Amino acid sequence: MALPRRLATTIATRSRIKCSGIRTSPSVRRLFSADAVSHPSNRVHVYISRAADPYLNLSIEHYLLQKSPPDSVVLFLYTNRPCVVVGRNQNPWTEVNLGLLKHSGVVDSNGNNEGEVLLVRRRSGGGTVFHDAGNVNYSVICPPASFDRNKHAAMVVRALSTLGVSGARVNERHDIVLDIPPSETQGRESQQQTFKISGSAYKLTRLRSLHHGTCLLSSPNLLLVSPLLHSPAAPYIKARGVESVRSPIRNVWLPNDDKDNAAFEEAVVAEFGAMYGNVDPEVIETREATEILDEVPSIAKGHTELKSPDWIYTQTPQFTFSTHPTPEDPRPRPPAPAYLAPDLHATVTVRHGQITDVSGTGLPLSLNSTYLHHVTDWRSKVSSEPVGRWLNGLFGVGVGSNT
């Protein structure tokens, strides 16, 4: 397969944008051609982003969904910096250990600390996932008539097979799993084990269908995924919306130990080409991807929206936080810390991230109208320091602990 070409290069060396049918002036230097994306003659698109900004990559993806011709097919590949991505209709307070995001200890492939794990809410449905440099994301956009929840996951399975990966398949939930025989489990199990290596999410519109998924290739942070995706507040919250289905995960570890993702990208592009027609990928380099924000206003607008706390938190469906079992939520609660007073027996209703009702004892009515994500230390919002410290631990703010 031909090596990927840079999306943004001097037009003097590229007089024609690949497959766009648009000729451009040699004096013009384009970073991202909106005309090429939307031109009716461009039936097959392949883009690879080298940007690691998840908000930017999701905004480019959304632009491709909205602007590519209705009868075209698009493949978009990208790899994000460490982040936790919740689905459009999910609750970050139940899905994510928010207090761990800034101090998780995530590292890159060389063991260097990556700093804060970003929190992202995407525009598609589905469950919560963790991304880092060892995880490649694929997105396929196609006409609704061509949409099938398994078709493009099977495309990725075939790509893995060409790289020597055996045991990968699409399961009944449309995820890609890897079956590991007993001989490869180092004697720990006598039966075959199955691990999830790729989850999928979808967004369907009248004219277009989007299927995007992940593929865990060589993440150095697998041991941190479970702590990051287990919220200490979840046992106290009854939420509307979509809950994640948790499964055992593992890396694929390509047989050639290729950790730069290039072999996987090339294999997926080849399988996509076999389905729809070969086209050279247009590679969006890191610096050029950020300049797209100046060139394409709708991508810049989407980027700003996805980064905003209002989008991340206030899109949360209504939920109820209860310190004790209630008729509506009779689940047993974890044992309360010894430092909490026994008279704390409260229920809080939250709608779009804002407290709309406080009842019971132990929490002040003044919490009404408070946005949860605006609170930086619950000790300043409640009359009891121990209660504030406990809430800090549950909701991941301040200095408190939930132990």
Side-chain angles (χ1 to χ4, degrees):
M1 188 185 73
L3 289 175
R5 300 181 305 163
R6 297 175 64 193
L7 176 61
T9 57
T10 305
I11 296 301
T13 63
R14 285 184 60 202
S15 61
R16 191 165 184 251
I17 299 176
K18 184 69 177 178
C19 294
S20 69
I22 302 173
R23 294 190 180 275
T24 57
S25 166
S27 63
V28 177
R29 186 176 186 273
R30 304 184 68 91
L31 295 175
F32 186 87
S33 172
D35 290 338
V37 169
S38 61
H39 198 275
S41 68
N42 200 352
R43 300 296 180 87
V44 182
H45 312 238
V46 179
Y47 301 99
I48 302 175
S49 173
R50 296 296 179 222
D53 179 351
Y55 309 110
L56 177 55
N57 284 326
L58 285 173
S59 297
I60 293 173
E61 178 187 79
H62 189 62
Y63 180 83
L64 295 172
L65 173 68
Q66 291 185 314
K67 299 300 183 180
S68 55
D71 58 349
S72 68
V73 288
V74 181
L75 173 66
F76 180 45
L77 301 175
Y78 56 95
T79 300
N80 289 327
R81 60 155 294 170
C83 60
V84 171
V85 186
V86 301
R88 174 67 177 84
N89 300 307
Q90 289 198 293
N91 185 324
W93 289 284
T94 61
E95 296 290 336
V96 186
N97 187 336
L98 297 173
L100 195 57
L101 294 179
K102 291 184 179 180
H103 312 288
S104 66
V106 294
V107 297
D108 63 16
S109 59
N110 296 316
N112 300 313
N113 193 292
E114 290 268 53
E116 181 178 0
V117 176
L118 301 179
L119 181 62
V120 183
R121 182 188 295 275
R122 62 179 180 268
R123 293 186 174 90
S124 61
T128 299
V129 292
F130 172 77
H131 292 174
D132 67 6
N135 172 42
V136 175
N137 303 281
Y138 67 91
S139 174
V140 179
I141 301 166
C142 65
S146 303
F147 174 75
D148 179 277
R149 291 180 187 269
N150 285 339
K151 179 165 64 173
H152 295 113
M155 173 189 77
V156 174
V157 169
R158 291 194 299 273
L160 290 170
S161 179
T162 66
L163 296 172
V165 177
S166 60
R169 60 181 173 86
V170 182
N171 71 4
E172 66 281 356
R173 293 185 53 81
H174 319 293
D175 298 323
I176 301 175
V177 297
L178 192 64
D179 294 327
I180 304 297
S183 60
E184 297 181 25
T185 60
Q186 300 178 353
R188 290 172 294 179
E189 297 287 343
S190 60
Q191 297 180 339
Q192 173 177 281
Q193 291 183 279
T194 299
F195 297 89
K196 183 176 177 178
I197 59 172
S198 172
S200 292
Y202 313 92
K203 183 174 178 63
L204 309 179
T205 70
R206 184 174 62 87
L207 296 177
R208 304 294 272 157
S209 299
L210 165 70
H211 169 191
H212 55 186
T214 61
C215 194
L216 275 168
L217 298 177
S218 58
S219 170
N221 297 299
L222 283 194
L223 294 179
L224 295 173
V225 174
S226 181
L228 282 166
L229 302 189
H230 280 81
S231 165
Y236 303 90
I237 292 177
K238 181 176 177 60
R240 298 179 183 177
V242 177
E243 292 187 16
S244 296
V245 177
R246 291 174 170 81
S247 306
I249 60 173
R250 66 165 286 164
N251 284 316
V252 173
W253 295 123
L254 297 179
N256 64 356
D257 199 30
D258 187 348
K259 296 181 180 179
D260 66 1
N261 301 336
F264 175 77
E265 292 173 346
E266 292 188 3
V268 173
V269 170
E271 290 299 325
F272 182 79
M275 294 175 68
Y276 298 110
N278 290 319
V279 57
D280 288 340
E282 304 285 11
V283 178
I284 308 171
E285 300 292 350
T286 303
R287 177 185 57 81
E288 298 156 345
T290 58
E291 292 179 12
I292 287 174
L293 296 174
D294 296 324
E295 297 291 322
V296 186
S298 57
I299 293 179
K301 180 180 178 182
H303 181 259
T304 299
E305 179 182 52
L306 290 184
K307 288 185 69 175
S308 70
D310 281 351
W311 169 263
I312 295 170
Y313 294 104
T314 67
Q315 296 296 313
T316 302
Q318 180 173 309
F319 67 93
T320 302
F321 171 87
S322 302
T323 59
H324 293 75
T326 66
E328 295 76 20
D329 183 12
R331 295 174 300 161
R333 303 303 194 258
Y339 58 75
L340 281 183
D343 61 348
L344 175 62
H345 203 294
T347 296
V348 176
T349 301
V350 182
R351 188 169 186 268
H352 299 309
Q354 185 181 36
I355 295 175
T356 58
D357 184 69
V358 179
S359 61
T361 60
L363 294 179
L365 296 179
S366 60
L367 289 177
N368 273 312
S369 300
T370 299
Y371 283 95
L372 294 191
H373 66 286
H374 289 173
V375 178
T376 58
D377 191 335
W378 283 95
R379 293 175 300 180
S380 66
K381 305 293 290 187
V382 300
S383 55
S384 166
E385 193 278 341
V387 171
R389 180 154 51 99
W390 181 63
L391 293 175
N392 280 348
L394 294 184
F395 293 114
V397 297
V399 188
S401 168
N402 64 321
T403 58

